[in-house]
Amino acid sequence: MAIPVIIDTDPGIDDAIAIALACASPEIDLLGITTVGGNTGIENTTGNALKLLHLFGRDDVPVGAGAARALAFEADLGDPTIHGQGGLGGVELAVPERGSDPRGALGLLVDLVESHPEPITLIAIGPLTNVALFAATRPDLYAKLDRLVIMGGGVHITGNHTPTGEFNIWFDPEAAARVFSAGVDVTMVGLDVTHKAMFAGTDWAPLRGADAGAVGTAIAGMVDFYGSFYMSQNGSDATAQHDSLAVAAVVKPELVTTQHCWVGVETAGTLTRGMTVADLKDVWKQTPNTHVALDVDVPAFIELLVGRIADLDARLR
Ligand code: RIB
Ligand code: CA
């Protein structure tokens, strides 16, 4: 049976690739997408989600627009040198006729969770503002979720946006703090594993063939932009496919090795605001609330992600 999934996202190049994986994987029944501001503004993230689903042949999946800003304090949107001005690395995609769902993110989450016969897995790959609002507004329905799988945080690698803040958590720490303490099981796919699973430019070769279709060409174009940012920072075009690993952990759970422990989020620290603190040694004797991903089968992840997207490209040619 396919796993019923909603994806909350701020596309964003790695989000786009993660959505492609979800659309390419029969293990996932993608019920809906909700969008949030983060990598770029909410207008871009929502429009990008609609364009990506159109590209992937999934105009049937509703898109609900959510929070434009963080709950408590202003946070600057993502650096356009990472994802491009529009959020997809300058790759132009066809604009579908349909627009976003009039229910918006919260209304869509409520309706889908309330009406679906099976518990839903919520995969959150952007700032957690929408997820926190859902947990705060309808705790009764939020409790019906099977689990929450997030791309966010870090334990031994603590930050990418600040020394102690991974971007998704840093952008809205108050939202993240509520989500980790809301009582629904969290699987945290953080920097410890996403920075282990780096994709070399050559790993994407199956999407660059002369017979590549619209999907392969678009994803390869986004990877090229994303890789140029990494090259400018690290001297290598190897990229971290953060968000796809969260989706891959649902498609193939055995890809990641996790430890069940208590995780909290720092919201008051001057230097550490947005830091995820994992009590791996159970010093504080708190009830474990998170499965923290600490290792990843890198070759298997690369093979799954590129192979599935190549299959999707071939199917849609
Ligand atoms: O830190 C990586 C996360 O921040 C990813 O979700 C990426 O898309 C950005 O939102
Ligand atoms: Ca993201």
Side-chain angles (χ1 to χ4, degrees):
M1 282 290 284
I3 301 165
V5 163
I6 298 169
I7 294 178
D8 187 74
T9 177
D10 62 334
I13 290 173
D14 63 324
D15 302 70
I17 297 169
I19 294 167
L21 177 61
C23 293
S25 297
E27 299 86 346
I28 285 184
D29 176 10
L30 184 57
L31 302 176
I33 282 186
T34 52
T35 55
V36 65
N39 284 320
T40 182
I42 188 68
E43 296 76 17
N44 283 341
T45 59
T46 305
N48 290 341
L50 287 163
K51 288 187 278 190
L52 289 162
L53 287 168
H54 186 64
L55 174 67
F56 304 146
R58 295 302 308 275
D59 286 334
D60 61 298
V61 176
V63 174
R69 287 287 187 264
L71 293 181
F73 299 101
E74 276 305 303
D76 291 340
L77 294 171
D79 177 352
T81 62
I82 303 174
H83 297 273
Q85 283 300 339
L88 297 181
V91 172
E92 293 294 331
L93 299 179
V95 180
E97 287 181 15
R98 67 156 180 155
S100 64
D101 193 297
R103 291 172 286 184
L106 189 54
L108 189 57
L109 283 163
V110 165
D111 281 358
L112 289 174
V113 172
E114 195 158 46
S115 61
H116 202 274
E118 300 295 326
I120 289 172
T121 294
L122 179 54
I123 303 177
I125 52 177
L128 292 169
T129 316
N130 292 338
V131 181
L133 288 169
F134 180 30
T137 309
R138 290 296 303 267
D140 57 320
L141 288 180
Y142 188 76
K144 281 185 65 183
L145 288 174
D146 184 49
R147 66 179 177 138
L148 176 70
V149 180
I150 73 165
M151 190 283 137
V155 177
H156 305 300
I157 302 177
T158 54
N160 59 357
H161 193 75
T162 70
T164 58
E166 177 280 321
F167 180 79
N168 288 338
I169 308 298
W170 168 88
F171 191 89
D172 197 343
E174 285 74 18
R178 168 167 290 279
V179 166
F180 276 93
S181 61
V184 166
D185 202 56
V186 179
T187 297
M188 181 176 118
V189 176
L191 298 176
D192 303 280
V193 285
T194 65
H195 277 201
K196 268 185 191 165
M198 300 296 282
F199 285 62
T202 51
D203 288 325
W204 302 95
L207 304 184
R208 299 181 189 281
D211 59 348
V215 171
T217 304
I219 298 295
M222 291 179 213
V223 164
D224 288 344
F225 186 96
Y226 201 40
S228 65
F229 167 75
Y230 276 79
M231 178 66 81
S232 71
Q233 301 296 306
N234 309 328
S236 159
D237 70 351
T239 60
Q241 293 303 325
H242 302 286
D243 294 337
S244 292
L245 188 49
V247 172
V250 174
V251 171
K252 201 173 180 184
E254 62 273 24
L255 277 179
V256 295
T257 305
T258 62
Q259 179 176 337
H260 199 203
C261 65
W262 181 86
V263 174
V265 179
E266 178 58 63
T267 57
T270 306
L271 301 177
T272 55
R273 178 172 161 74
M275 184 175 188
T276 52
V277 180
D279 187 1
L280 295 174
K281 294 184 167 44
D282 196 22
V283 171
W284 291 325
K285 303 300 178 205
Q286 300 268 358
T287 304
N289 57 0
T290 305
H291 298 274
V292 178
L294 295 172
D295 206 355
V296 52
D297 180 340
V298 178
F301 174 39
I302 293 173
E303 181 187 2
L304 176 78
L305 179 56
V306 179
R308 287 289 173 90
I309 295 177
D311 292 346
L312 179 65
D313 178 62
R315 279 203 304 275
L316 295 174
R317 262 177 234 157

